[in-house]
Amino acid sequence: MLSIDLAGKRALVAGVADDAGLGFGIAKALAEAGAEVCVATWPPALGIFETLLRRGKMSDSLRFESREGALSFARVYPLDAEYDSMEDMPAELRENRRYKDLGDVSLAGLAARVQADFGDQALDIVVHSLANGPEVKRPLLETSRKGYLAASSASAYSFVSLVQRLGPLTRPGGSFLALTYIAAERVIPGYGGGMSSAKAALESDTRTLAFEAGRKWGHRVNVISAGPFASRAASAIGFIGTMIDYCRKHTPLPEPIEAREVGTAAAFMLSPLASGITGHTLYVDKGYHAMGAPTDLSAKTDA
Ligand code: NAD
């Protein structure tokens, strides 16, 4: 029987800080398929995440859906993906109470920890499920240079840096995946602050990284364009409920996307079953990307 089998593979999912996001759905699907899963968590969210895990507050959502067992994390690494090394981090942030006892939380620090824990051939799968746009609520016309560059740094360049640093620690035939949104290619009013630009860069970089990492290490690099989902980050933007409702009404499959659906699609893309796929943007959005007009357009009559 053909099935997704990730037994013996080790995955790192960057951007998991609770059980309500797409990264969590992906981590769970990978573990359910047999992979050992490590996560990397943003320092401001790390304390509460570890407390929830320790107190068993997530035990229901950690439980597998297709078989006995539950997701458990081999490691929870601290990561601030805006910084390639600690020298880049402002002294004030290094001294922040949420950062100061964590050691090197940069991308270089993450690679060093992974290598120290698992050696030179540490990983098979790397997922980038993180984004941040400090001015996301501002239209592009009102976005500052600082806000725009911060969005690109946290949400797009962080993937380039992740592939640069973890590519050499990933066994040949490894697989990288990031998460994007249709705002990269179509206007989504309200998704501002340069986040649409960052997602466009992320999708373009995926193609170039697929070429370079493929030739250099034999790794694959893909991106999933997910439909709107009420994660913590998306809820903070302020209109995710309206967006989900709109998509439910106007997609070929008129229902909201679930994290599990993104997780199982990711498990396929990251598995050897997808060995022929790289540089690809896979839509996991109930078909929303295929639409060119609202479903009720033909029911409307000209005035
Ligand atoms: P989420 O809140 O679960 O995940 C975002 C994560 O990014 C959080 O854990 C946050 O702590 C982390 N993060 C932010 N800045 C960071 C930094 N500097 N360093 C390290 N981690 C940082 O939300 P989500 O919506 O599941 O987002 C996951 C990915 O999916 C993002 O790339 C997002 O843009 C993308 N996406 C989301 C949707 C949606 O509607 N929710 C749709 C398409 C794509």
Side-chain angles (χ1 to χ4, degrees):
M1 191 172 52
L2 199 60
S3 63
I4 297 176
D5 180 5
L6 299 178
K9 305 223 179 271
R10 186 175 298 115
L12 174 82
V13 184
V16 178
D18 56 39
D19 57 2
L22 299 177
F24 183 87
I26 294 171
K28 188 164 151 182
L30 294 175
E32 220 164 313
E36 179 180 283
V37 177
C38 304
V39 291
T41 304
W42 197 32
L46 182 65
I48 186 153
F49 181 49
E50 287 184 321
T51 305
L52 291 174
L53 281 172
R54 206 171 39 247
R55 295 198 181 147
K57 299 281 186 203
M58 303 197 319
S59 47
D60 284 348
S61 40
L62 289 164
R63 204 167 298 124
F64 291 152
E65 289 166 44
S66 65
R67 64 176 175 91
E68 286 292 300
L71 170 62
S72 67
F73 301 118
R75 296 284 188 287
V76 178
Y77 295 114
L79 169 69
D80 192 324
E82 272 191 67
Y83 303 101
D84 297 319
S85 73
M86 289 304 274
E87 284 97 74
D88 300 340
M89 188 181 282
E92 193 189 326
L93 187 57
R94 255 183 277 148
E95 289 310 310
N96 179 288
R97 69 183 170 83
R98 294 206 170 96
Y99 282 71
K100 67 178 169 28
D101 299 325
L102 294 177
D104 189 341
V105 301
S106 70
L107 283 149
L110 173 70
R113 285 180 212 249
V114 167
Q115 189 172 26
D117 287 345
F118 301 112
D120 291 342
Q121 303 266 286
L123 299 169
D124 302 281
I125 289 168
V126 178
V127 180
H128 176 283
S129 182
L130 60 94
N132 197 8
E135 297 181 13
V136 66
K137 290 185 180 176
R138 285 198 204 170
L140 193 56
L141 267 178
E142 293 165 24
T143 295
S144 70
R145 181 184 296 266
K146 196 172 166 210
Y148 182 101
L149 294 177
S152 287
S153 168
S155 314
Y157 185 76
S158 54
F159 187 48
V160 176
S161 184
L162 197 68
V163 179
Q164 277 176 10
R165 280 153 221 283
L166 295 183
L169 300 178
T170 300
R171 284 184 273 258
S175 187
F176 288 72
L177 183 79
L179 273 298
T180 186
Y181 184 44
I182 199 161
E185 45 180 315
R186 307 258 195 282
V187 179
I188 302 291
Y191 192 76
M195 275 305 299
S196 55
S197 332
K199 291 300 190 191
L202 183 70
E203 291 183 18
S204 176
D205 293 344
T206 293
R207 292 183 283 273
T208 306
L209 289 169
F211 169 67
E212 295 183 6
R215 293 298 179 106
K216 190 164 186 166
W217 300 299
H219 299 337
R220 298 183 295 112
V221 186
N222 292 294
V223 66
I224 282 182
S225 183
F229 175 74
S231 63
R232 186 179 288 252
S235 302
I237 302 174
F239 64 100
I240 188 69
T242 312
M243 199 60 209
I244 290 170
D245 237 35
Y246 180 85
C247 284
R248 187 175 21 216
K249 285 193 194 113
H250 298 293
T251 44
L253 300 173
E255 60 217 7
I257 195 86
E258 291 179 11
R260 173 144 188 96
E261 294 172 306
V262 177
T264 52
F268 161 70
M269 287 296 271
L270 293 161
S271 79
L273 292 179
S275 59
I277 305 174
T278 193
H280 186 65
T281 301
L282 178 71
Y283 296 97
V284 184
D285 64 352
K286 303 280 178 180
Y288 179 73
H289 68 280
M291 299 299 294
T295 42
D296 52 1
L297 194 68
S298 60
K300 299 203 190 317
T301 48
D302 293 339

